[in-house]
PDB file of all heavy atoms in Angstrom:
ATOM      1  N   CYS H  20     126.233  87.554  52.703  1.00 94.00           N
ATOM      2  CA  CYS H  20     125.666  88.112  51.490  1.00 94.00           C
ATOM      3  C   CYS H  20     124.553  89.112  51.769  1.00 94.00           C
ATOM      4  O   CYS H  20     123.742  88.957  52.704  1.00 94.00           O
ATOM      5  CB  CYS H  20     125.039  86.956  50.657  1.00 94.00           C
ATOM      6  SG  CYS H  20     124.305  87.511  49.034  1.00 94.00           S
ATOM      7  N   VAL H  21     124.477  90.202  50.985  1.00 94.00           N
ATOM      8  CA  VAL H  21     123.507  91.244  51.133  1.00 94.00           C
ATOM      9  C   VAL H  21     122.084  90.640  50.943  1.00 94.00           C
ATOM     10  O   VAL H  21     121.140  91.160  51.508  1.00 94.00           O
ATOM     11  CB  VAL H  21     123.729  92.376  50.199  1.00 94.00           C
ATOM     12  CG1 VAL H  21     123.491  92.040  48.756  1.00 94.00           C
ATOM     13  CG2 VAL H  21     122.925  93.604  50.607  1.00 94.00           C
ATOM     14  N   LEU H  22     121.958  89.578  50.201  1.00 93.00           N
ATOM     15  CA  LEU H  22     120.624  88.943  49.982  1.00 93.00           C
ATOM     16  C   LEU H  22     120.207  88.268  51.246  1.00 93.00           C
ATOM     17  O   LEU H  22     119.010  88.306  51.536  1.00 93.00           O
ATOM     18  CB  LEU H  22     120.735  87.965  48.820  1.00 93.00           C
ATOM     19  CG  LEU H  22     120.928  88.628  47.462  1.00 93.00           C
ATOM     20  CD1 LEU H  22     120.975  87.581  46.433  1.00 93.00           C
ATOM     21  CD2 LEU H  22     119.979  89.735  47.196  1.00 93.00           C
ATOM     22  N   ASN H  23     121.110  87.620  52.003  1.00 91.00           N
ATOM     23  CA  ASN H  23     120.738  87.093  53.288  1.00 91.00           C
ATOM     24  C   ASN H  23     120.294  88.240  54.223  1.00 91.00           C
ATOM     25  O   ASN H  23     119.325  88.050  54.988  1.00 91.00           O
ATOM     26  CB  ASN H  23     121.898  86.343  53.945  1.00 91.00           C
ATOM     27  CG  ASN H  23     122.240  85.066  53.186  1.00 91.00           C
ATOM     28  OD1 ASN H  23     121.356  84.485  52.549  1.00 91.00           O
ATOM     29  ND2 ASN H  23     123.519  84.630  53.279  1.00 91.00           N
ATOM     30  N   TYR H  24     120.897  89.326  54.098  1.00 91.00           N
ATOM     31  CA  TYR H  24     120.586  90.515  54.916  1.00 91.00           C
ATOM     32  C   TYR H  24     119.148  90.977  54.597  1.00 91.00           C
ATOM     33  O   TYR H  24     118.349  91.281  55.495  1.00 91.00           O
ATOM     34  CB  TYR H  24     121.549  91.603  54.625  1.00 91.00           C
ATOM     35  CG  TYR H  24     121.389  92.901  55.405  1.00 91.00           C
ATOM     36  CD1 TYR H  24     121.862  93.039  56.692  1.00 91.00           C
ATOM     37  CD2 TYR H  24     120.768  94.036  54.845  1.00 91.00           C
ATOM     38  CE1 TYR H  24     121.759  94.265  57.385  1.00 91.00           C
ATOM     39  CE2 TYR H  24     120.670  95.243  55.516  1.00 91.00           C
ATOM     40  CZ  TYR H  24     121.155  95.303  56.770  1.00 91.00           C
ATOM     41  OH  TYR H  24     121.024  96.546  57.466  1.00 91.00           O
ATOM     42  N   LEU H  25     118.836  91.051  53.342  1.00 91.00           N
ATOM     43  CA  LEU H  25     117.488  91.478  52.912  1.00 91.00           C
ATOM     44  C   LEU H  25     116.444  90.479  53.149  1.00 91.00           C
ATOM     45  O   LEU H  25     115.386  90.732  53.733  1.00 91.00           O
ATOM     46  CB  LEU H  25     117.544  91.860  51.428  1.00 91.00           C
ATOM     47  CG  LEU H  25     118.404  93.066  51.009  1.00 91.00           C
ATOM     48  CD1 LEU H  25     118.469  93.148  49.536  1.00 91.00           C
ATOM     49  CD2 LEU H  25     117.966  94.313  51.637  1.00 91.00           C
ATOM     50  N   TYR H  26     116.709  89.228  52.725  1.00 90.00           N
ATOM     51  CA  TYR H  26     115.620  88.227  52.821  1.00 90.00           C
ATOM     52  C   TYR H  26     115.328  87.791  54.248  1.00 90.00           C
ATOM     53  O   TYR H  26     114.226  87.329  54.534  1.00 90.00           O
ATOM     54  CB  TYR H  26     116.019  87.004  51.958  1.00 90.00           C
ATOM     55  CG  TYR H  26     116.161  87.272  50.487  1.00 90.00           C
ATOM     56  CD1 TYR H  26     116.950  86.473  49.635  1.00 90.00           C
ATOM     57  CD2 TYR H  26     115.525  88.390  49.894  1.00 90.00           C
ATOM     58  CE1 TYR H  26     117.091  86.786  48.311  1.00 90.00           C
ATOM     59  CE2 TYR H  26     115.668  88.649  48.571  1.00 90.00           C
ATOM     60  CZ  TYR H  26     116.456  87.825  47.740  1.00 90.00           C
ATOM     61  OH  TYR H  26     116.556  88.147  46.437  1.00 90.00           O
ATOM     62  N   CYS H  27     116.359  87.853  55.166  1.00 87.00           N
ATOM     63  CA  CYS H  27     116.138  87.558  56.544  1.00 87.00           C
ATOM     64  C   CYS H  27     115.701  88.837  57.378  1.00 87.00           C
ATOM     65  O   CYS H  27     115.455  88.697  58.556  1.00 87.00           O
ATOM     66  CB  CYS H  27     117.402  86.938  57.190  1.00 87.00           C
ATOM     67  SG  CYS H  27     117.851  85.356  56.570  1.00 87.00           S
ATOM     68  N   GLU H  28     115.641  89.950  56.680  1.00 88.00           N
ATOM     69  CA  GLU H  28     115.233  91.203  57.317  1.00 88.00           C
ATOM     70  C   GLU H  28     116.126  91.400  58.520  1.00 88.00           C
ATOM     71  O   GLU H  28     115.637  91.589  59.647  1.00 88.00           O
ATOM     72  CB  GLU H  28     113.737  91.196  57.643  1.00 88.00           C
ATOM     73  CG  GLU H  28     112.850  91.072  56.391  1.00 88.00           C
ATOM     74  CD  GLU H  28     111.372  91.001  56.722  1.00 88.00           C
ATOM     75  OE1 GLU H  28     111.011  90.766  57.866  1.00 88.00           O
ATOM     76  OE2 GLU H  28     110.544  91.308  55.806  1.00 88.00           O
ATOM     77  N   LEU H  29     117.437  91.475  58.291  1.00 88.00           N
ATOM     78  CA  LEU H  29     118.359  91.490  59.414  1.00 88.00           C
ATOM     79  C   LEU H  29     118.647  92.888  59.932  1.00 88.00           C
ATOM     80  O   LEU H  29     119.462  93.042  60.883  1.00 88.00           O
ATOM     81  CB  LEU H  29     119.659  90.874  58.957  1.00 88.00           C
ATOM     82  CG  LEU H  29     119.598  89.329  58.693  1.00 88.00           C
ATOM     83  CD1 LEU H  29     120.927  88.805  58.200  1.00 88.00           C
ATOM     84  CD2 LEU H  29     119.113  88.614  59.910  1.00 88.00           C
ATOM     85  N   GLU H  30     118.065  93.915  59.401  1.00 90.00           N
ATOM     86  CA  GLU H  30     118.248  95.286  59.905  1.00 90.00           C
ATOM     87  C   GLU H  30     117.873  95.244  61.374  1.00 90.00           C
ATOM     88  O   GLU H  30     116.725  94.942  61.779  1.00 90.00           O
ATOM     89  CB  GLU H  30     117.374  96.283  59.182  1.00 90.00           C
ATOM     90  CG  GLU H  30     117.625  97.727  59.545  1.00 90.00           C
ATOM     91  CD  GLU H  30     118.779  98.373  58.833  1.00 90.00           C
ATOM     92  OE1 GLU H  30     119.251  97.797  57.843  1.00 90.00           O
ATOM     93  OE2 GLU H  30     119.264  99.403  59.340  1.00 90.00           O
ATOM     94  N   GLY H  31     118.809  95.605  62.291  1.00 89.00           N
ATOM     95  CA  GLY H  31     118.558  95.603  63.671  1.00 89.00           C
ATOM     96  C   GLY H  31     118.580  94.291  64.408  1.00 89.00           C
ATOM     97  O   GLY H  31     118.408  94.194  65.601  1.00 89.00           O
ATOM     98  N   LYS H  32     118.806  93.192  63.602  1.00 85.00           N
ATOM     99  CA  LYS H  32     118.859  91.833  64.229  1.00 85.00           C
ATOM    100  C   LYS H  32     120.260  91.302  64.163  1.00 85.00           C
ATOM    101  O   LYS H  32     121.136  91.650  63.321  1.00 85.00           O
ATOM    102  CB  LYS H  32     117.945  90.874  63.421  1.00 85.00           C
ATOM    103  CG  LYS H  32     116.498  91.322  63.424  1.00 85.00           C
ATOM    104  CD  LYS H  32     115.666  90.272  62.547  1.00 85.00           C
ATOM    105  CE  LYS H  32     114.233  90.680  62.450  1.00 85.00           C
ATOM    106  NZ  LYS H  32     113.444  89.735  61.552  1.00 85.00           N
ATOM    107  N   ARG H  33     120.585  90.303  64.993  1.00 79.00           N
ATOM    108  CA  ARG H  33     121.817  89.628  65.057  1.00 79.00           C
ATOM    109  C   ARG H  33     121.738  88.370  64.230  1.00 79.00           C
ATOM    110  O   ARG H  33     120.682  87.798  64.062  1.00 79.00           O
ATOM    111  CB  ARG H  33     122.220  89.267  66.499  1.00 79.00           C
ATOM    112  CG  ARG H  33     122.693  90.410  67.316  1.00 79.00           C
ATOM    113  CD  ARG H  33     124.020  90.970  66.832  1.00 79.00           C
ATOM    114  NE  ARG H  33     125.026  89.887  66.637  1.00 79.00           N
ATOM    115  CZ  ARG H  33     125.856  89.471  67.604  1.00 79.00           C
ATOM    116  NH1 ARG H  33     125.767  90.032  68.822  1.00 79.00           N
ATOM    117  NH2 ARG H  33     126.668  88.568  67.347  1.00 79.00           N
ATOM    118  N   THR H  34     122.938  87.892  63.731  1.00 70.00           N
ATOM    119  CA  THR H  34     122.987  86.595  63.030  1.00 70.00           C
ATOM    120  C   THR H  34     124.010  85.718  63.750  1.00 70.00           C
ATOM    121  O   THR H  34     125.082  85.445  63.208  1.00 70.00           O
ATOM    122  CB  THR H  34     123.433  86.808  61.581  1.00 70.00           C
ATOM    123  OG1 THR H  34     124.576  87.604  61.571  1.00 70.00           O
ATOM    124  CG2 THR H  34     122.335  87.442  60.756  1.00 70.00           C
ATOM    125  N   GLY H  35     123.686  85.339  64.952  1.00 67.00           N
ATOM    126  CA  GLY H  35     124.586  84.498  65.748  1.00 67.00           C
ATOM    127  C   GLY H  35     125.920  85.160  65.891  1.00 67.00           C
ATOM    128  O   GLY H  35     125.986  86.353  66.318  1.00 67.00           O
ATOM    129  N   ARG H  36     127.020  84.535  65.462  1.00 70.00           N
ATOM    130  CA  ARG H  36     128.357  85.099  65.637  1.00 70.00           C
ATOM    131  C   ARG H  36     128.854  85.614  64.289  1.00 70.00           C
ATOM    132  O   ARG H  36     130.041  86.014  64.213  1.00 70.00           O
ATOM    133  CB  ARG H  36     129.306  84.024  66.186  1.00 70.00           C
ATOM    134  CG  ARG H  36     128.931  83.566  67.606  1.00 70.00           C
ATOM    135  CD  ARG H  36     129.987  82.558  68.067  1.00 70.00           C
ATOM    136  NE  ARG H  36     129.567  82.003  69.401  1.00 70.00           N
ATOM    137  CZ  ARG H  36     129.818  82.511  70.554  1.00 70.00           C
ATOM    138  NH1 ARG H  36     130.576  83.647  70.582  1.00 70.00           N
ATOM    139  NH2 ARG H  36     129.479  81.953  71.665  1.00 70.00           N
ATOM    140  N   VAL H  37     128.031  85.648  63.269  1.00 81.00           N
ATOM    141  CA  VAL H  37     128.486  86.068  61.946  1.00 81.00           C
ATOM    142  C   VAL H  37     128.341  87.609  61.904  1.00 81.00           C
ATOM    143  O   VAL H  37     127.225  88.135  61.872  1.00 81.00           O
ATOM    144  CB  VAL H  37     127.695  85.434  60.810  1.00 81.00           C
ATOM    145  CG1 VAL H  37     128.138  85.963  59.484  1.00 81.00           C
ATOM    146  CG2 VAL H  37     127.873  83.887  60.889  1.00 81.00           C
ATOM    147  N   ILE H  38     129.457  88.313  61.905  1.00 89.00           N
ATOM    148  CA  ILE H  38     129.420  89.742  61.697  1.00 89.00           C
ATOM    149  C   ILE H  38     130.243  90.109  60.529  1.00 89.00           C
ATOM    150  O   ILE H  38     131.002  89.220  59.964  1.00 89.00           O
ATOM    151  CB  ILE H  38     129.875  90.500  63.033  1.00 89.00           C
ATOM    152  CG1 ILE H  38     131.343  90.131  63.361  1.00 89.00           C
ATOM    153  CG2 ILE H  38     128.998  90.200  64.147  1.00 89.00           C
ATOM    154  CD1 ILE H  38     131.913  90.902  64.466  1.00 89.00           C
ATOM    155  N   GLY H  39     130.266  91.347  60.116  1.00 93.00           N
ATOM    156  CA  GLY H  39     131.099  91.754  58.990  1.00 93.00           C
ATOM    157  C   GLY H  39     130.303  92.453  57.912  1.00 93.00           C
ATOM    158  O   GLY H  39     129.098  92.700  58.070  1.00 93.00           O
ATOM    159  N   PRO H  40     130.951  92.756  56.817  1.00 97.00           N
ATOM    160  CA  PRO H  40     130.255  93.421  55.695  1.00 97.00           C
ATOM    161  C   PRO H  40     129.253  92.488  55.055  1.00 97.00           C
ATOM    162  O   PRO H  40     129.442  91.260  55.029  1.00 97.00           O
ATOM    163  CB  PRO H  40     131.330  93.781  54.712  1.00 97.00           C
ATOM    164  CG  PRO H  40     132.482  92.871  55.042  1.00 97.00           C
ATOM    165  CD  PRO H  40     132.388  92.609  56.468  1.00 97.00           C
ATOM    166  N   MET H  41     128.152  93.032  54.591  1.00 96.00           N
ATOM    167  CA  MET H  41     127.108  92.241  53.841  1.00 96.00           C
ATOM    168  C   MET H  41     127.340  92.590  52.375  1.00 96.00           C
ATOM    169  O   MET H  41     127.171  93.744  51.945  1.00 96.00           O
ATOM    170  CB  MET H  41     125.723  92.705  54.326  1.00 96.00           C
ATOM    171  CG  MET H  41     125.479  92.709  55.816  1.00 96.00           C
ATOM    172  SD  MET H  41     125.648  91.067  56.597  1.00 96.00           S
ATOM    173  CE  MET H  41     124.143  90.274  55.965  1.00 96.00           C
ATOM    174  N   THR H  42     127.711  91.614  51.579  1.00 96.00           N
ATOM    175  CA  THR H  42     128.443  91.842  50.377  1.00 96.00           C
ATOM    176  C   THR H  42     127.645  91.384  49.128  1.00 96.00           C
ATOM    177  O   THR H  42     126.627  90.719  49.202  1.00 96.00           O
ATOM    178  CB  THR H  42     129.808  91.123  50.448  1.00 96.00           C
ATOM    179  OG1 THR H  42     129.540  89.679  50.337  1.00 96.00           O
ATOM    180  CG2 THR H  42     130.542  91.443  51.708  1.00 96.00           C
ATOM    181  N   PHE H  43     128.198  91.750  48.000  1.00 96.00           N
ATOM    182  CA  PHE H  43     127.645  91.330  46.675  1.00 96.00           C
ATOM    183  C   PHE H  43     128.275  90.038  46.203  1.00 96.00           C
ATOM    184  O   PHE H  43     128.026  89.639  45.089  1.00 96.00           O
ATOM    185  CB  PHE H  43     127.901  92.439  45.619  1.00 96.00           C
ATOM    186  CG  PHE H  43     126.886  93.585  45.675  1.00 96.00           C
ATOM    187  CD1 PHE H  43     126.280  93.990  46.842  1.00 96.00           C
ATOM    188  CD2 PHE H  43     126.450  94.148  44.484  1.00 96.00           C
ATOM    189  CE1 PHE H  43     125.341  95.008  46.885  1.00 96.00           C
ATOM    190  CE2 PHE H  43     125.515  95.143  44.514  1.00 96.00           C
ATOM    191  CZ  PHE H  43     125.015  95.618  45.666  1.00 96.00           C
ATOM    192  N   GLY H  44     129.009  89.398  47.012  1.00 96.00           N
ATOM    193  CA  GLY H  44     129.614  88.124  46.681  1.00 96.00           C
ATOM    194  C   GLY H  44     130.610  87.810  47.797  1.00 96.00           C
ATOM    195  O   GLY H  44     131.219  88.687  48.432  1.00 96.00           O
ATOM    196  N   GLU H  45     130.782  86.481  48.118  1.00 97.00           N
ATOM    197  CA  GLU H  45     131.666  86.100  49.155  1.00 97.00           C
ATOM    198  C   GLU H  45     132.762  85.258  48.513  1.00 97.00           C
ATOM    199  O   GLU H  45     132.486  84.541  47.500  1.00 97.00           O
ATOM    200  CB  GLU H  45     130.957  85.269  50.218  1.00 97.00           C
ATOM    201  CG  GLU H  45     129.763  85.985  50.854  1.00 97.00           C
ATOM    202  CD  GLU H  45     128.579  86.075  49.916  1.00 97.00           C
ATOM    203  OE1 GLU H  45     128.049  84.977  49.494  1.00 97.00           O
ATOM    204  OE2 GLU H  45     128.128  87.193  49.562  1.00 97.00           O
ATOM    205  N   ILE H  46     133.927  85.285  49.043  1.00 97.00           N
ATOM    206  CA  ILE H  46     135.051  84.461  48.496  1.00 97.00           C
ATOM    207  C   ILE H  46     135.634  83.573  49.546  1.00 97.00           C
ATOM    208  O   ILE H  46     136.069  84.054  50.612  1.00 97.00           O
ATOM    209  CB  ILE H  46     136.132  85.405  47.971  1.00 97.00           C
ATOM    210  CG1 ILE H  46     135.567  86.192  46.772  1.00 97.00           C
ATOM    211  CG2 ILE H  46     137.353  84.617  47.444  1.00 97.00           C
ATOM    212  CD1 ILE H  46     136.504  87.382  46.291  1.00 97.00           C
ATOM    213  N   ALA H  47     135.539  82.284  49.323  1.00 95.00           N
ATOM    214  CA  ALA H  47     136.302  81.291  50.069  1.00 95.00           C
ATOM    215  C   ALA H  47     136.924  80.397  49.035  1.00 95.00           C
ATOM    216  O   ALA H  47     136.338  79.480  48.511  1.00 95.00           O
ATOM    217  CB  ALA H  47     135.330  80.519  51.003  1.00 95.00           C
ATOM    218  N   TYR H  48     138.122  80.747  48.633  1.00 94.00           N
ATOM    219  CA  TYR H  48     138.859  80.131  47.505  1.00 94.00           C
ATOM    220  C   TYR H  48     138.248  80.525  46.200  1.00 94.00           C
ATOM    221  O   TYR H  48     138.894  81.018  45.325  1.00 94.00           O
ATOM    222  CB  TYR H  48     138.936  78.642  47.696  1.00 94.00           C
ATOM    223  CG  TYR H  48     139.611  78.182  48.900  1.00 94.00           C
ATOM    224  CD1 TYR H  48     138.926  77.746  50.028  1.00 94.00           C
ATOM    225  CD2 TYR H  48     141.051  78.128  48.983  1.00 94.00           C
ATOM    226  CE1 TYR H  48     139.600  77.350  51.189  1.00 94.00           C
ATOM    227  CE2 TYR H  48     141.700  77.750  50.124  1.00 94.00           C
ATOM    228  CZ  TYR H  48     140.983  77.369  51.236  1.00 94.00           C
ATOM    229  OH  TYR H  48     141.639  76.972  52.398  1.00 94.00           O
ATOM    230  N   GLN H  49     136.947  80.322  46.037  1.00 91.00           N
ATOM    231  CA  GLN H  49     136.333  80.737  44.774  1.00 91.00           C
ATOM    232  C   GLN H  49     135.141  81.626  45.081  1.00 91.00           C
ATOM    233  O   GLN H  49     134.783  81.866  46.230  1.00 91.00           O
ATOM    234  CB  GLN H  49     135.850  79.517  43.945  1.00 91.00           C
ATOM    235  CG  GLN H  49     134.906  78.620  44.654  1.00 91.00           C
ATOM    236  CD  GLN H  49     134.722  77.278  43.923  1.00 91.00           C
ATOM    237  OE1 GLN H  49     135.474  76.381  44.102  1.00 91.00           O
ATOM    238  NE2 GLN H  49     133.739  77.152  43.035  1.00 91.00           N
ATOM    239  N   LEU H  50     134.461  82.162  44.020  1.00 93.00           N
ATOM    240  CA  LEU H  50     133.396  83.128  44.208  1.00 93.00           C
ATOM    241  C   LEU H  50     132.159  82.368  44.656  1.00 93.00           C
ATOM    242  O   LEU H  50     131.790  81.315  44.095  1.00 93.00           O
ATOM    243  CB  LEU H  50     133.102  83.801  42.888  1.00 93.00           C
ATOM    244  CG  LEU H  50     131.923  84.840  42.963  1.00 93.00           C
ATOM    245  CD1 LEU H  50     132.363  86.024  43.792  1.00 93.00           C
ATOM    246  CD2 LEU H  50     131.560  85.240  41.550  1.00 93.00           C
ATOM    247  N   LEU H  51     131.475  82.926  45.625  1.00 94.00           N
ATOM    248  CA  LEU H  51     130.212  82.389  46.160  1.00 94.00           C
ATOM    249  C   LEU H  51     129.173  83.490  46.152  1.00 94.00           C
ATOM    250  O   LEU H  51     129.470  84.654  46.073  1.00 94.00           O
ATOM    251  CB  LEU H  51     130.461  81.933  47.612  1.00 94.00           C
ATOM    252  CG  LEU H  51     131.583  80.938  47.876  1.00 94.00           C
ATOM    253  CD1 LEU H  51     131.831  80.782  49.361  1.00 94.00           C
ATOM    254  CD2 LEU H  51     131.319  79.607  47.199  1.00 94.00           C
ATOM    255  N   ASN H  52     127.911  83.033  46.143  1.00 94.00           N
ATOM    256  CA  ASN H  52     126.814  83.942  46.230  1.00 94.00           C
ATOM    257  C   ASN H  52     125.778  83.379  47.316  1.00 94.00           C
ATOM    258  O   ASN H  52     125.623  82.192  47.415  1.00 94.00           O
ATOM    259  CB  ASN H  52     125.986  84.033  44.916  1.00 94.00           C
ATOM    260  CG  ASN H  52     126.531  85.126  44.003  1.00 94.00           C
ATOM    261  OD1 ASN H  52     126.202  85.143  42.842  1.00 94.00           O
ATOM    262  ND2 ASN H  52     127.253  86.106  44.499  1.00 94.00           N
ATOM    263  N   GLN H  53     125.165  84.357  48.000  1.00 94.00           N
ATOM    264  CA  GLN H  53     124.106  83.992  48.957  1.00 94.00           C
ATOM    265  C   GLN H  53     124.616  82.989  50.017  1.00 94.00           C
ATOM    266  O   GLN H  53     123.922  82.029  50.388  1.00 94.00           O
ATOM    267  CB  GLN H  53     122.856  83.414  48.194  1.00 94.00           C
ATOM    268  CG  GLN H  53     121.569  84.013  48.655  1.00 94.00           C
ATOM    269  CD  GLN H  53     120.415  83.819  47.710  1.00 94.00           C
ATOM    270  OE1 GLN H  53     120.603  83.877  46.557  1.00 94.00           O
ATOM    271  NE2 GLN H  53     119.204  83.688  48.258  1.00 94.00           N
ATOM    272  N   THR H  54     125.832  83.233  50.491  1.00 94.00           N
ATOM    273  CA  THR H  54     126.453  82.406  51.552  1.00 94.00           C
ATOM    274  C   THR H  54     127.017  83.347  52.631  1.00 94.00           C
ATOM    275  O   THR H  54     126.948  84.561  52.545  1.00 94.00           O
ATOM    276  CB  THR H  54     127.625  81.602  50.958  1.00 94.00           C
ATOM    277  OG1 THR H  54     128.644  82.540  50.567  1.00 94.00           O
ATOM    278  CG2 THR H  54     127.257  80.723  49.831  1.00 94.00           C
ATOM    279  N   ALA H  55     127.444  82.738  53.662  1.00 92.00           N
ATOM    280  CA  ALA H  55     128.307  83.437  54.639  1.00 92.00           C
ATOM    281  C   ALA H  55     129.655  82.720  54.686  1.00 92.00           C
ATOM    282  O   ALA H  55     129.756  81.483  54.569  1.00 92.00           O
ATOM    283  CB  ALA H  55     127.702  83.415  56.049  1.00 92.00           C
TER     284      ALA H  55
END
């Protein structure tokens, strides 16, 4: 989630093995917010 990106101040930082687009919503069967 883009909010995790902002609130964790992830610009220039790694998040373990989680890579990919930082989004306005995540989908794992149903709509999610503020998740990976």
Side-chain angles (χ1 to χ4, degrees):
C20 180
V21 70
L22 296 180
N23 290 334
Y24 182 81
L25 295 174
Y26 297 157
C27 292
E28 299 179 340
L29 293 177
E30 185 84 16
K32 299 178 183 177
R33 285 294 309 273
T34 50
R36 298 181 185 272
V37 178
I38 61 174
M41 310 295 292
T42 69
F43 276 35
E45 305 76 58
I46 296 169
Y48 299 99
Q49 62 192 84
L50 180 69
L51 307 169
N52 271 164
Q53 227 163 324
T54 64

